[in-house]
Amino acid sequence: NAGVTQTPKFRVLKTGQSMTLLCAQDMNHEYMYWYRQDPGMGLRLIHYSVGEGTTAKGEVPDGYNVSRLKKQNFLLGLESAAPSQTSVYFCASSPPSGRARGTDTQYFGPGTRLTVL
Amino acid sequence: ELKVEQNPLFLSMQEGKNYTIYCNYSTTSDRLYWYRQDPGKSLESLFVLLSNGAVKQEGRLMASLDTKARLSTLHITAAVHDLSATYFCAVDIGSSGTYKYIFGTGTRLKVLA
């Protein structure tokens, strides 16, 4: 199993450009998440999804949109990139079925390093 | 405002020493997670703590949870260089079947040979 994969690994955008980050998981997990990680601030939840066709806002959703058209994929879109969105973006997934057993930890992808000039 | 605070933020320790990292959170939660992140890498799960009084151990690391005090600790015993990493705690604040995680700012640990 590949686990959680993210595409691309690095990207440089100019202010105002748009892009989509792709997250894919092959573990049949229901739940998927997008985080951003900034220096000294830990991870902050942007959006999450509890199943195909559903999405919800996290802590810092402004400026981002998401879609979960297929269970295995979770897309994060930036419609008009801003320098404040320069960050490392992590996708994660987790199995709700493991919640009762305490095995519902999140599995993280390798990250996408995004720079907005 | 919901806060998850870790201390210390930075920790430099000698090999063979013991130390504890603290994670305080400001809202009710009975689930807490610890993760490890190596520089430039992704996060790796260490522990899932489910209830008050939960204690888990893996190698030189032991985590505990006190939900009444809203405090979790990660204790390091006889540190070795390989434990050098950033450690994050995360609290599940979701309810009614939704799962939202708030992460602490992380503790950067450096173990000196």
Side-chain angles (χ1 to χ4, degrees), chain A residues 36-48:
Chain A
R36 59 178 289 173
Q37 183 177 32
D38 301 298
M41 298 189 71
L43 277 75
R44 291 182 291 169
L45 181 64
I46 305 172
H47 286 279
Y48 65 100

Side-chain angles (χ1 to χ4, degrees), chain A residues 9-10 14 16 21 24 41 46 48-49 62 64 66 72 75 78-79 81 88 92 94 97 99 102:
Chain A
K9 289 185 170 53
F10 303 93
K14 294 182 179 179
L21 282 67
M41 298 189 71
I46 305 172
Y48 65 100
S49 168
D62 293 342
Y64 304 95
V66 288
Q72 64 267 35
L75 279 63
L78 287 73
E79 291 187 347
V88 180
S94 67
S97 58
R99 192 163 178 82

Side-chain angles (χ1 to χ4, degrees), chain B residues 24-95:
Chain B
N24 290 89
Y25 53 97
S26 62
T27 191
T28 302
S29 177
D30 61 358
R31 306 181 80 83
L32 190 134
Y33 307 78
W34 283 97
Y35 293 88
R36 168 184 171 143
Q37 185 180 35
D38 292 304
K41 303 292 185 181
S42 188
L43 280 78
E44 172 190 354
S45 176
L46 292 175
F47 300 109
V48 180
L49 301 171
L50 290 182
S51 59
N52 189 41
V55 177
K56 289 195 174 179
Q57 183 164 3
E58 180 74 31
R60 301 175 186 275
L61 301 177
M62 183 174 69
S64 66
L65 177 62
D66 181 342
T67 57
K68 294 179 181 177
R70 298 181 182 175
L71 170 69
S72 180
T73 61
L74 181 65
H75 186 73
I76 303 157
T77 302
V80 293
H81 180 70
D82 286 350
L83 290 179
S84 296
T86 299
Y87 293 85
F88 292 96
C89 63
V91 173
D92 179 359
I93 64 166
S95 61

Side-chain angles (χ1 to χ4, degrees), chain A residues 66-81:
Chain A
V66 288
S67 64
R68 183 97 181 269
L69 299 179
K70 293 183 179 181
K71 185 178 182 179
Q72 64 267 35
N73 295 337
F74 195 26
L75 279 63
L76 178 70
L78 287 73
E79 291 187 347
S80 180

Side-chain angles (χ1 to χ4, degrees), chain A residues 49-110:
Chain A
S49 168
V50 298
E52 183 177 320
T54 71
T55 63
K57 294 181 180 180
E59 283 182 274
V60 288
D62 293 342
Y64 304 95
N65 56 74
V66 288
S67 64
R68 183 97 181 269
L69 299 179
K70 293 183 179 181
K71 185 178 182 179
Q72 64 267 35
N73 295 337
F74 195 26
L75 279 63
L76 178 70
L78 287 73
E79 291 187 347
S80 180
S84 61
Q85 293 178 305
T86 293
S87 188
V88 180
Y89 291 86
F90 286 100
C91 175
S93 70
S94 67
S97 58
R99 192 163 178 82
R101 298 190 299 273
T103 59
D104 60 322
T105 189
Q106 294 178 75
Y107 295 81
F108 284 84

